[in-house]
Amino acid sequence: MDVLDLSRFQFATTNIFHFFFVPFTVGLSLIIATIETFAYFTRLQVWGTLTRFFGHLFVINFAVGVVTGIVQEFQFGMNWAEYARFVGNIFGVPLALEVLMAFFLESTFLGLWWFGRDRLPRPLHLASIWLVALGSTVSAFWIIMANAWMQHPVGYTVVGDEAHLTSFAAVALNYKAWLYFGHIWFSALCIGSFFVLGVSAWHLARGHRPELFSRSLKLGVAVALLGTVGSALVGHRQGQVMVVDQPMKFAAIEAIWETTPPGAGESIFALPSQSERRNLINLELPYLGSFLAYNSFDRSIRGINDIEREYDERYGPGDYTPPVWPVYWSFRVMVGLGLLMLLTALVGVWLWWRGRLETSRRYLRFLPWMIPAPFIANFTGWIATEMGRQPWIVQGLMFTRDGVSALNATTVFVGLIGFWLVYLMLIGLDIYLLGTTARAGIHAPEHQMTAAPAPHYLEE
């Protein structure tokens, strides 16, 4: 592997590691804020206990995960110096706002909320957790906005070899940014809700505190339904926008090599061959591809080979085809897991309606296995998004190969090993602490410190 390949691999993997923590923080903070709102207005002890239990899990994830985001910004200067020089005038704005507006808000009020439980007035304590949720959400927005600019650059002009910001409003109102943010926000709800569902089901299946975990289970089902339906609807709209402004990525996701006749099918199983520029095997559902792309059954979809010829004329001779196989299959893993999560949420609603949600042993035993599903869906979704826009690092403006730093491969490889070791250690520590604390559950104050590594959760 050369410097470019190593740098791309390092950036991709460290982002995936970091993204293990981010959507979990966004989704779980919103659920905890909702639980504490129930506690505030009902004054029922059970809601307060649940707030502290899931709040403890949230604090663990935040404390371990916060450091992983710092590495992301260092990478721009270390491995992607030419890219940072080209877009620094634009890219620096959302990154700075993310730190100034979001991270400080999130971390400051998390401290006030966690340590001020018995010291702050109740309204201020409730406001603190909502400000934590707002801070984590705003943080995600600025990062997504920066990424969306790379997919759909707006509000800029190129002066010499640098892109200069001409309209911050255009960048902030970039329609692609809002679509991406909507998809990520609903996906974060999926991660938070399926974590709450899994933990609650694990305890209910063992008869632990049913008066508590039955409430969190119902809340988890409601949020899971909102998250899965919202993700599907926004994702569908994202695909239709992609047909217009990133047709090569859309064609790669669908493994469409030649422009289809009207009424394109939707591929459900294909073996793409990059060298032969065709699919060795392709099973598809007729007309569904056209409907998903245009909400119409009689439209055609442009193929990779036709778009390649168009890009050759527009940008000059080159290879503009992304790696089709990983793009095609990572997208289908994401969609498949999304459908499984939606079905799981719908079954939960049906069991709730029939009065069997807390007593269905099969459903309760299944839910803990679903905790990894939204994480994997997020990872594969980002793989499809980022690999699908190759060879561009900024769509239509800068090739990925032109953004890499002038380093030797050994330097990048050593850095890659270092990042992997640190990140694997942090993720392992996070999973261990979350698993240990979640399984320990909620105990009476006199037993909590010996039964679980946590302060007691109950009111005295």
Side-chain angles (χ1 to χ4, degrees):
M1 298 177 76
D2 59 14
V3 173
L4 176 60
D5 292 332
L6 286 170
S7 297
R8 290 178 62 187
F9 186 70
Q10 176 176 309
F11 198 86
T13 53
T14 52
N15 268 284
I16 287 175
F17 286 144
H18 178 55
F19 213 66
F20 177 84
F21 300 95
V22 175
F24 189 26
T25 301
V26 174
L28 191 57
S29 64
L30 287 165
I31 293 175
I32 294 170
T34 303
I35 295 175
E36 177 142 353
T37 303
F38 290 155
Y40 180 86
F41 286 105
T42 64
R43 291 183 177 271
L44 293 176
Q45 182 179 323
V46 288
W47 288 116
T49 302
L50 284 173
T51 301
R52 286 183 285 283
F53 175 66
F54 284 108
H56 184 206
L57 297 168
F58 174 79
V59 170
I60 290 173
N61 185 71
F62 183 87
V64 178
V66 65
V67 68
T68 62
I70 299 173
V71 176
Q72 308 307 309
E73 299 188 14
F74 279 123
Q75 283 193 98
F76 293 124
M78 291 187 299
N79 290 12
W80 300 97
E82 296 304 319
Y83 164 77
R85 184 177 298 110
F86 179 69
V87 302
N89 188 268
I90 299 171
F91 212 69
V93 177
L95 295 185
L97 289 173
E98 190 268 337
V99 174
L100 294 174
M101 292 179 59
F103 177 71
F104 286 147
L105 179 71
E106 183 182 14
S107 54
T108 300
F109 281 94
L110 178 60
L112 286 173
W113 176 72
W114 187 243
F115 295 107
R117 178 164 65 94
D118 301 321
R119 299 169 179 81
L120 294 175
R122 292 183 73 240
L124 184 55
H125 190 256
L126 175 62
S128 296
I129 187 60
W130 276 109
L131 287 171
V132 172
L134 176 65
S136 62
T137 302
V138 172
S139 174
F141 170 74
W142 289 120
I143 298 301
I144 294 301
M145 193 185 76
N147 179 270
W149 187 86
M150 298 161 67
Q151 312 274 347
H152 182 75
V154 292
Y156 73 95
T157 184
V158 176
V159 179
D161 59 353
E162 295 180 357
H164 286 206
L165 181 67
T166 58
S167 172
F168 176 74
V171 176
L173 298 176
N174 186 348
Y175 71 93
K176 198 129 190 173
W178 287 95
L179 279 176
Y180 276 21
F181 173 70
H183 196 55
I184 291 296
W185 189 79
F186 283 116
S187 301
L189 291 185
C190 292
I191 288 182
S193 61
F194 275 90
F195 179 78
V196 171
L197 282 173
V199 172
S200 303
W202 194 88
H203 286 287
L204 285 172
R206 288 157 180 78
H208 297 167
R209 309 302 300 268
E211 78 281 9
L212 294 171
F213 289 111
S214 62
R215 295 170 186 266
S216 56
L217 187 74
K218 291 175 180 175
L219 178 62
V221 167
V223 178
L225 184 64
L226 173 65
T228 50
V229 172
S231 295
L233 293 177
V234 178
H236 173 58
R237 180 58 188 157
Q238 271 186 275
Q240 294 183 330
V241 170
M242 192 193 310
V243 175
V244 178
D245 65 3
Q246 290 181 300
M248 180 65 90
K249 181 196 291 189
F250 186 85
I253 283 176
E254 297 298 331
I256 297 174
W257 294 93
E258 303 294 342
T259 299
T260 71
E266 172 67 14
S267 176
I268 56 175
F269 183 89
L271 295 179
S273 171
Q274 196 95 7
S275 59
E276 298 184 30
R277 303 189 73 81
R278 67 182 182 89
N279 294 325
L280 302 179
I281 299 174
N282 186 30
L283 302 177
E284 59 182 29
L285 299 173
Y287 300 104
L288 183 58
S290 290
F291 178 77
L292 293 175
Y294 299 105
N295 289 337
S296 169
F297 290 106
D298 60 356
R299 299 281 298 272
S300 63
I301 299 176
R302 286 196 292 163
I304 294 171
N305 293 333
D306 290 329
I307 300 171
E308 178 75 33
R309 286 189 285 272
E310 176 189 323
Y311 283 5
D312 278 343
E313 295 177 3
R314 184 188 305 177
Y315 301 112
D319 183 3
Y320 299 93
T321 303
V324 177
W325 196 94
V327 172
Y328 174 89
W329 279 109
S330 58
F331 179 79
R332 271 145 189 83
V333 170
M334 179 193 70
V335 172
L337 288 173
L339 292 174
L340 178 61
M341 289 186 285
L342 175 60
L343 179 62
T344 303
L346 290 173
V347 170
V349 171
W350 182 77
L351 290 172
W352 189 354
W353 177 60
R354 298 296 299 268
R356 295 170 47 202
L357 179 61
E358 303 97 322
T359 58
S360 174
R361 305 287 298 178
R362 289 183 180 178
Y363 190 65
L364 294 179
R365 284 197 294 266
F366 174 70
L367 286 177
W369 294 100
M370 284 296 292
I371 292 177
F375 287 98
I376 298 172
N378 268 271
F379 299 157
T380 50
W382 274 113
I383 289 172
T385 297
E386 296 304 295
M387 293 191 74
R389 68 183 161 97
Q390 298 303 316
W392 301 105
I393 192 170
V394 180
Q395 185 74 31
L397 292 179
M398 186 179 202
F399 292 111
T400 304
R401 64 172 182 266
D402 296 332
V404 71
S405 300
L407 299 172
N408 61 62
T410 303
T411 302
V412 180
F413 182 73
V414 170
L416 173 64
I417 297 299
F419 285 137
W420 265 71
L421 291 175
V422 172
Y423 274 23
L424 287 176
M425 181 187 68
L426 289 173
I427 289 181
L429 178 65
D430 194 43
I431 293 174
Y432 171 76
L433 291 176
L434 288 175
T436 303
T437 307
R439 286 195 303 272
I442 301 169
H443 303 271
E446 61 272 24
H447 300 300
Q448 185 65 49
M449 290 303 294
T450 54
H456 69 78
Y457 301 116
L458 304 176
E459 297 284 1
E460 295 179 348

